[in-house]
Amino acid sequence: GAVVSQHPSWVICKSGTSVKIECRSLDFQATTMFWYRQFPKQSLMLMATSNEGSKATYEQGVEKDKFLINHASLTLSTLTVTSAHPEDSSFYICSARDSGWTGTFGSGTRLTVV
Amino acid sequence: GQQLNQSPQSMFIQEGEDVSMNCTSSSIFNTWLWYKQDPGEGPVLLIALYKAGELTSNGRLTAQFGITRKDSFLNISASIPSDVGIYFCAGRSNDYKLSFGAGTTVTVRA
């Protein structure tokens, strides 16, 4: 079955620094990947859609200059949280779409900004 | 995306009991999905429903895609301790974006 790998699983960074999160499709090619954010005890909220070879599309209210997305290959999308602040602390989860779309998610990245 | 109306928000059940939860939406979806999420992990797909009226089972899990395409339910029969977790419904639109419910937290009393 489709496997999505997300790295790192957790990261702590200082306020003002940038953090990069990777999402890889291990056994299939993903032309589209999705990035979600989940605050404690809340649901997943879609942040952006990452399309291989083109610019990402962001949901309303998500700052594209703060959350940089790069989808340079069919198996890798990255989310960079720039100039992170404590309010950016959250659980970030990616999902990759294969040809059949099996709804597979990565295991998530817990970001803590101190 | 929109957030779906999922209920109940939480439930405490006795081991061996059946569990039911449901989701409703103001919008039509072409696919309904049910996920389980354990703490610190990404959601894991339990059941996917692709046609209005479809009833699908996966072991002790049964889910149905409502005829109006605006609702779905999930049943868990004969619950066991490992059923503990948060269950999310999600509706998928034509652009493959998912809208999630708020989640149902299931706690099983031994």
Side-chain angles (χ1 to χ4, degrees), chain A residues 54-110:
Chain A
S54 64
K55 289 183 179 180
T57 56
Y58 292 80
E59 296 299 300
Q60 191 173 8
V62 178
E63 300 175 59
K64 61 180 181 181
D65 294 331
K66 181 167 188 62
F67 299 100
L68 300 180
I69 291 173
N70 184 283
H71 195 158
S73 78
L74 284 170
T75 60
L76 174 64
S77 174
T78 60
L79 168 68
T80 301
V81 183
T82 63
S83 186
H85 289 98
E87 57 265 30
D88 298 325
S89 298
S90 188
F91 193 54
Y92 293 87
I93 313 172
C94 69
S95 173
R97 177 194 160 195
D98 60 5
S99 59
W101 202 88
T102 56
T104 304
F105 282 79
S107 55
T109 298
R110 171 73 59 195

Side-chain angles (χ1 to χ4, degrees), chain B residues 74-94:
Chain B
L74 174 71
N75 287 340
I76 306 172
S77 62
S79 57
I80 59 178
S82 62
D83 290 334
V84 164
I86 304 177
Y87 293 80
F88 289 99
C89 63
R92 194 187 86 189
S93 49
N94 289 334

